[in-house]
Amino acid sequence: MSGSEPRATPNGVGADAKSPGRPRMPFERIIATALEIVDAEGAEALTLRALAQRLGSSTATLYRHVDNRADLVGHVVERVFSEIAVDGEVLEGADVSRACEHLARSLFDAIARHPNAAPLLIETVPTGPHAMAFREVCLSTLLAHGFPPATARMLAAALGRFVIGFALQLRTDADRQDADKRAGDRLFHADPAVYPAISRTAAEATVPLAEEFALGLDLLLRGMRDLAAAGHDHRG
């Protein structure tokens, strides 16, 4: 069920026809409002009851568009994927490392606009049209660079999990920095006789999450280049 049309009743009449006095709830408004809840209050705040209250409607109305919360989450995730901006000109002619960097950053940037939605991406396997289109681009890029299907699938999955793993920390980045500072203060005073490595590195400043992401992505892409040079055998 796409959610874009009223659910059919056994006699073939749309369910919304039961309430001729109430205007039909636009599906786009439902999903946009659901994403607003996630942006403002977090993924755990997204329930059908909370959404109905925000819309000034009822859960019965929502059930005409979605089957359950999982179905709603799938549509919200699809909305996030619809904001991924892939530049075909960047991919065209780029080596595998540059192409995959662009894809990874495109996904990361889309999630960064809705950091609270990151946990939803691990609740479901995105299969909406925009998610499928992005997956197709990732896999076709890897296949075009000579990776066999099994390796291409593994690399695409690894790249996606890496991005989402970092994106999960975006929603608490401010809290994370405060926590890191407090932890850093404790680490700075660690007993060097017991924790020599911790003591040696404690004075180093905590870097922004974006820098950690860039370093990790660079290492992952270097590994992909090495794999390509070795003939694409992921079994090493």
Side-chain angles (χ1 to χ4, degrees):
M1 183 181 68
S2 67
S4 59
E5 299 178 354
R7 180 174 298 175
T9 57
N11 61 7
V13 178
D16 285 334
K18 293 181 178 180
S19 304
R22 175 178 294 180
R24 181 173 177 270
M25 181 74 69
F27 184 68
E28 289 300 312
R29 182 186 171 202
I30 292 173
I31 303 307
T33 303
L35 186 54
E36 288 174 4
I37 291 175
V38 173
D39 286 342
E41 303 176 40
E44 63 281 356
L46 181 60
T47 65
L48 290 170
R49 182 185 297 274
L51 179 56
Q53 291 176 344
R54 179 72 67 93
L55 290 166
S57 183
S58 67
T59 54
T61 297
L62 297 181
Y63 279 121
R64 296 169 185 167
H65 298 271
V66 297
D67 294 327
N68 45 41
R69 183 182 182 277
D71 189 23
L72 176 63
V73 165
H75 286 294
V76 172
V77 168
E78 171 65 6
R79 174 60 63 88
V80 174
F81 270 83
S82 74
E83 298 185 13
I84 298 176
V86 174
D87 189 338
E89 293 185 0
V90 173
L91 297 181
E92 186 176 355
D95 63 19
V96 66
S97 178
R98 177 72 182 96
C100 288
E101 179 184 11
H102 177 63
L103 292 170
R105 289 190 177 278
S106 296
L107 176 58
F108 187 80
D109 290 345
I111 302 174
R113 287 190 287 274
H114 305 283
N116 285 340
L120 297 179
L121 273 70
I122 60 176
E123 286 189 31
T124 183
V125 177
T127 56
H130 290 98
M132 292 293 283
F134 182 72
R135 184 178 288 110
E136 176 68 16
V137 171
C138 291
L139 289 170
S140 63
T141 296
L142 292 165
L143 292 172
H145 283 281
F147 289 102
T151 304
R153 182 172 181 176
M154 289 181 65
L155 289 175
L159 200 63
R161 294 181 197 282
F162 172 81
V163 171
I164 293 171
F166 266 92
L168 283 168
Q169 300 180 64
L170 286 172
R171 63 188 181 127
T172 56
D173 199 34
D175 293 338
R176 170 182 172 273
Q177 290 177 17
D178 291 340
D180 283 351
K181 184 180 183 305
R182 292 192 297 271
D185 291 340
R186 291 194 296 271
L187 294 175
F188 188 80
H189 295 95
D191 185 350
V194 181
Y195 307 108
I198 292 176
S199 298
R200 184 177 177 183
T201 59
E204 299 299 322
T206 300
V207 301
L209 186 66
E211 290 188 29
E212 293 181 1
F213 175 76
L215 175 61
L217 181 59
D218 180 63
L219 293 173
L220 180 58
L221 295 174
R222 286 172 185 264
M224 292 176 66
R225 287 198 297 270
D226 291 345
L227 188 61
H232 315 307
D233 187 356
H234 64 269
R235 292 168 298 183

